[in-house]
Amino acid sequence: MTPSVLEAISTQIANEFGASFSYLAMAAWCEHHKFMGCGHWLRQQSAEEHGHGLKLFNFVLARNHHVKLEAIAKPTSDFSSVVDVFERALAQEQEVSRQIDGLYELAFKEKVFAAMAELQWFITEQVEEEKTVREIVGKFHMVKDDPASLLDLDRELGGRAAEPAGPTGT
Ligand SMILES: [Fe+2]
Ligand SMILES: [Fe+2]
């Protein structure tokens, strides 16, 4: 692995753990405002992002490099509404997609083929994550402020099952 790809992956490890922390902050806001189903969904998502960080962490170690962890950005804790939470979640996923694309481009330029193979998984994952969150935002826009529909949607999100196996490459 080249030094610049190694550095960029280290940054992405912090980005994934940052996304995990950010989802946890979103879960806290939702549960404080009694959207318990949303809180459940966001806690699961936080755990998934933790898994993404670990997957890259494991990859660097498997390539016989030392992982030097970077600082995690402080997440936003203030939201204006539950829709705002999920709109920001979508923006966050779109930002992560851009980060992964940039990382893949760098690995391609530097001909780090093992990193390209590893990052393929993340590119596919981002398509799925953006799609999922975009659908949730769409549903919130549909129900608007109707309390009964909001409760239904909250219940639906509360039914999210845990991932069967962690995508940590272990
Ligand atoms: Fe992720
Ligand atoms: Fe994500």
Side-chain angles (χ1 to χ4, degrees):
M1 193 136 47
T2 64
S4 56
V5 169
L6 182 59
E7 192 187 331
I9 291 177
S10 299
T11 301
Q12 193 57 34
I13 290 172
N15 289 339
E16 297 292 341
F17 282 110
S20 174
F21 220 35
S22 174
Y23 276 121
L24 198 58
M26 291 174 186
W29 188 94
C30 286
E31 293 187 16
H32 182 62
H33 290 84
K34 307 303 169 245
F35 289 102
M36 304 310 282
C38 293
H40 170 81
W41 192 95
L42 290 158
R43 281 173 185 253
Q44 299 268 20
Q45 191 61 29
S46 174
E48 266 203 22
E49 300 297 349
H50 183 86
H52 297 169
L54 278 182
K55 185 165 166 50
L56 288 173
F57 177 89
N58 291 339
F59 172 73
V60 172
L61 288 170
R63 300 307 294 154
N64 202 30
H65 290 286
H66 181 189
V67 184
K68 292 177 185 166
L69 295 175
E70 296 178 10
I72 299 175
K74 183 180 176 179
T76 303
S77 287
D78 299 318
F79 303 94
S80 58
S81 64
V82 70
V83 194
D84 182 37
V85 168
F86 283 91
E87 282 175 344
R88 291 207 207 189
L90 178 58
Q92 177 173 289
E93 289 301 338
Q94 288 167 333
E95 174 59 23
V96 171
S97 296
R98 280 190 287 274
Q99 291 163 355
I100 298 289
D101 285 351
L103 193 47
Y104 189 85
E105 187 181 8
L106 181 68
F108 174 78
K109 276 186 187 154
E110 306 222 348
K111 298 187 172 64
V112 183
F113 301 115
M116 287 169 68
E118 178 69 17
L119 291 167
Q120 285 279 355
W121 184 91
F122 283 87
I123 291 173
T124 307
E125 175 71 6
Q126 281 313 118
V127 171
E128 193 54 40
E129 297 228 315
E130 276 192 42
K131 175 179 180 283
T132 303
V133 182
R134 197 175 291 114
E135 285 171 1
I136 294 172
V137 169
K139 284 180 184 178
F140 273 111
H141 286 165
M142 262 183 259
V143 307
K144 295 196 170 66
D145 293 329
D146 178 51
S149 305
L150 272 175
L151 277 174
D152 266 354
L153 186 46
D154 186 59
R155 199 173 298 120
E156 180 189 326
L157 292 171
R160 177 178 178 176
E163 288 286 296
T168 55
T170 52

